[in-house]
């Protein structure tokens, strides 16, 4: 699978990931102030190829279909949070 950096950047922005620059572009996902996960990509501006799309998808805790939906836009922040809750990455405190 090949992605373009603009696809990944748009997806990260859509779900509110905090993106910073260091040796790579680091993206962190916070839920209610708690760091849930982080991923990264290189600073390049072209296609992202090889195993990197797979690694980004894995670090974002998404299956292939879910990742495709995130990139294609049907999956939004609320949907992403629900996916992470269903997989046990986000838990709500009991009242």
């Amino acid at each position: 699978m090949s992605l373009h950096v603009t696809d990944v950047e748009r997806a990260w922005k859509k779900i509110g990931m905090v993106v910073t620059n260091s040796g790579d572009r680091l993206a962190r996902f916070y839920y209610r102030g708690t760091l849930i996960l982080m991923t990264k990509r290189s600073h390049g501006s072209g296609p992202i190829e090889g195993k990197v799309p797979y690694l980004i998808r894995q670090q974002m805790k998404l299956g292939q279909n879910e990742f495709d939906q995130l990139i294609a836009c049907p999956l939004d922040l609320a949907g992403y949070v629900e996916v992470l809750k269903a997989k046990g990455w986000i838990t709500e405190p009991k009242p």
Side-chain angles (χ1 to χ4, degrees), residues 57-58 60-70 75 83 87:
R57 177 177 66 82
Q58 289 294 313
M60 292 180 72
K61 313 304 181 204
L62 294 172
Q64 186 64 55
N65 186 46
E66 296 159 338
F67 189 65
D68 291 344
Q69 289 180 16
L70 178 64
L75 185 64
V83 167
K87 293 181 178 187

Side-chain angles (χ1 to χ4, degrees), residues 3-95:
L3 288 174
H4 199 275
V5 295
T6 56
D7 296 328
V8 173
E9 291 285 332
R10 185 179 62 243
W12 287 351
K13 183 177 180 179
K14 179 172 59 169
I15 60 174
M17 293 185 88
V18 177
V19 180
T20 56
N21 289 318
S22 65
D24 292 309
R25 295 274 293 163
L26 300 176
R28 292 175 178 88
F29 182 74
Y30 293 89
Y31 181 73
R32 296 188 176 170
T34 301
L35 177 63
I36 304 299
L37 57 88
M38 114 179 166
T39 187
K40 66 181 179 177
R41 70 165 185 82
S42 68
H43 283 287
S45 61
I48 302 173
E49 297 177 334
K51 290 185 179 182
V52 177
Y54 168 80
L55 296 172
I56 291 172
R57 177 177 66 82
Q58 289 294 313
Q59 292 166 344
M60 292 180 72
K61 313 304 181 204
L62 294 172
Q64 186 64 55
N65 186 46
E66 296 159 338
F67 189 65
D68 291 344
Q69 289 180 16
L70 178 64
I71 297 298
C73 291
L75 185 64
D76 60 4
L77 173 59
Y80 184 58
V81 168
E82 289 305 313
V83 167
L84 294 179
K85 284 180 179 180
K87 293 181 178 187
W89 288 99
I90 294 177
T91 57
E92 295 289 343
K94 306 236 182 213

